[in-house]
Amino acid sequence: MVKIGYHASHEQFKPSDLLRFVQMAEQAGFQLALSSDHFTPWSERQAQSGFAWSWLGAAMQATPKLAYRVVNAPGQRYHPAIIAQAAATLAEMFPERFWITVGSGQRMNEYITGDKWIPKDDRNTRLKECVDIMRALWRGERVTHCGFVTVEEAKLYSRPEIAPKVIGAAITPKTAAWLAGWADGLITISQPKEKLQQVIEAFRSNGGEGKPMLLKVQLSYARDEQTARNQAHDQWRNNIFDSKVLTELKTPDQFDAMGELVQPDELDPFVRISADLQQQIDWLQQDAELGFDELLLHNVNLQQEEFIEDFGRVVIPALTQVISPGEISDRPFTFIR
């Protein structure tokens, strides 16, 4: 049975608001939460970017029924030994509730260190080095390494009994094939079905068969169609460009300049915009049929309370139980505020 998660977007909301949202999501029936991990928002209009690792400790304590995942790019802004320590601490305190998802990163987050922003192939090599280092530290080994990152006689003393899974992030079939052999699973983003199928096939046929697959779903739901579309355009139009572009821009101002070129209807291939809950259910059922184990829902607009409430009342039961939306649409649902 597919599991449904809530995406906690640090770029769009204050950490205190996100804590309230995941508490609401837990009550509404979400089973998971995915946390972004940025230094910089995607747009000056978003105007937030809390520190994910501080927030995760508070959120996991406040929502004991939710499992958590975090998107992270070790190797430049973060030294892998420090991320290994942070992940080990969460996994020790909250056993089997925490996985780390890793990718090669975006320039806007990583260049703040002043280190050179290296090409994609080198970033992939660096990422694999970092994962090997983290896993060795979780095994209790003393690690010395010299490559794209340097580690000297590092050893973790507080370690979990069960190490967190390392889920590899991929948008293209090429990257999915590359990480299939060493990652514990795949995370990708919603895109047209034929492109998603290519990513899945590349992952499965190169060593990923049987491993968990996670899908981050970009959607815009509000109780009226125009709000859903207008706010999707306001909040997420900067993010629809090819990853080769998005990984190279440096500042929110540059992202905003790119976003000025985007018209509201151009978001449709990238964000599922609809005020119709049955349409949202149908789209998510198609994702589940592709074989994804976890659907991590990012409502890209600012209407988080009504999204959580309505999806908890209608969408999640329809996806996780043998109940039609008509049977549950009139059920009372009250949040503890």
Side-chain angles (χ1 to χ4, degrees):
M1 185 70 71
V2 68
K3 294 181 179 180
I4 308 299
Y6 172 80
H7 179 66
S9 180
H10 283 279
E11 304 80 54
Q12 295 175 274
F13 301 100
K14 295 186 296 185
S16 55
D17 286 341
L18 284 180
L19 184 61
R20 178 169 57 88
F21 294 156
V22 292
Q23 290 174 304
M24 292 174 63
E26 179 186 52
Q27 186 182 354
F30 286 82
Q31 298 156 290
L32 310 156
L34 173 68
S35 170
S36 58
D37 183 2
H38 280 216
F39 191 83
T40 302
W42 298 102
S43 167
E44 290 290 349
R45 294 184 305 280
Q46 294 176 342
Q48 296 292 330
S49 201
F51 186 55
W53 295 89
S54 299
W55 181 85
L56 280 164
M60 294 183 77
Q61 179 67 24
T63 55
K65 295 180 181 179
L66 295 184
Y68 278 76
R69 288 81 177 92
V70 65
V71 182
N72 183 260
Q76 187 161 333
R77 177 171 49 122
Y78 288 124
H79 192 282
I82 301 303
I83 292 302
Q85 185 183 32
T89 296
L90 290 176
E92 193 282 330
M93 291 196 299
F94 308 107
E96 298 188 73
R97 287 178 54 204
F98 177 75
W99 295 355
I100 182 171
T101 76
V102 297
S104 58
Q106 297 103 8
R107 188 174 187 173
M108 70 169 181
N109 291 309
E110 310 307 321
Y111 90 104
I112 61 166
T113 64
D115 294 332
K116 180 181 178 181
W117 180 240
I118 59 179
K120 171 65 172 172
D121 287 347
D122 290 342
R123 297 202 308 274
N124 281 351
T125 300
R126 181 176 67 185
L127 175 62
K128 180 58 165 57
E129 283 185 17
C130 290
V131 171
D132 291 343
I133 289 164
M134 292 190 296
R135 284 172 166 162
L137 290 168
W138 293 333
R139 291 192 297 267
E141 298 175 17
R142 187 176 297 276
V143 176
T144 295
H145 177 86
C146 186
F148 280 103
V149 295
T150 299
V151 184
E152 187 169 342
E153 295 190 26
K155 181 178 178 179
L156 282 184
Y157 287 87
S158 294
R159 303 189 306 276
E161 292 185 10
I162 300 174
K165 288 187 183 296
V166 178
I167 307 299
I171 297 175
T172 66
K174 180 181 177 181
T175 302
W178 167 71
L179 61 81
W182 57 262
D184 296 320
L186 167 74
I187 186 169
T188 189
I189 63 171
S190 54
Q191 49 188 319
K193 183 178 180 180
E194 62 276 9
K195 292 185 176 181
L196 265 183
Q197 289 175 319
Q198 292 171 10
V199 172
I200 292 168
E201 176 56 30
F203 179 70
R204 286 176 168 168
S205 61
N206 286 279
E209 187 67 44
K211 295 179 180 180
M213 296 194 305
L214 289 58
L215 181 67
K216 180 179 179 285
V217 178
Q218 282 83 228
L219 64 93
S220 185
Y221 169 78
R223 288 174 181 161
D224 69 90
E225 196 80 16
Q226 199 60 49
T227 298
R229 183 163 297 277
N230 289 347
Q231 288 201 8
H233 184 248
D234 177 72
Q235 288 288 299
W236 213 247
R237 65 177 182 259
N238 297 359
N239 299 68
I240 70 170
F241 301 99
D242 189 278
S243 62
K244 293 178 182 178
V245 175
L246 296 180
T247 57
E248 294 300 324
L249 300 180
K250 293 172 61 176
T251 66
D253 285 344
Q254 291 178 347
F255 278 86
D256 284 333
M258 290 289 292
E260 289 301 318
L261 304 172
V262 178
Q263 298 302 309
D265 60 352
E266 293 181 280
L267 273 71
D268 288 330
F270 309 97
V271 180
R272 298 171 179 177
I273 302 171
S274 180
D276 183 342
L277 287 171
Q278 186 57 54
Q279 176 64 80
Q280 297 286 354
I281 290 168
D282 292 344
W283 280 327
L284 293 168
Q285 285 177 332
Q286 293 171 20
D287 297 329
E289 289 167 3
L290 289 173
F292 286 102
D293 301 280
E294 298 180 4
L295 304 179
L296 303 156
L297 311 186
H298 180 193
N299 189 41
V300 303
N301 66 54
L302 301 179
Q303 308 300 310
Q304 297 300 296
E305 290 93 341
E306 63 186 47
F307 159 68
I308 294 169
E309 182 171 352
D310 292 355
F311 272 58
R313 180 173 53 86
V314 178
V315 177
I316 293 175
L319 293 169
T320 59
Q321 303 174 35
V322 186
I323 301 174
S324 69
E327 292 180 76
I328 61 176
S329 60
D330 295 326
R331 290 184 178 184
F333 197 91
T334 303
F335 284 117
I336 299 172
R337 301 290 185 181

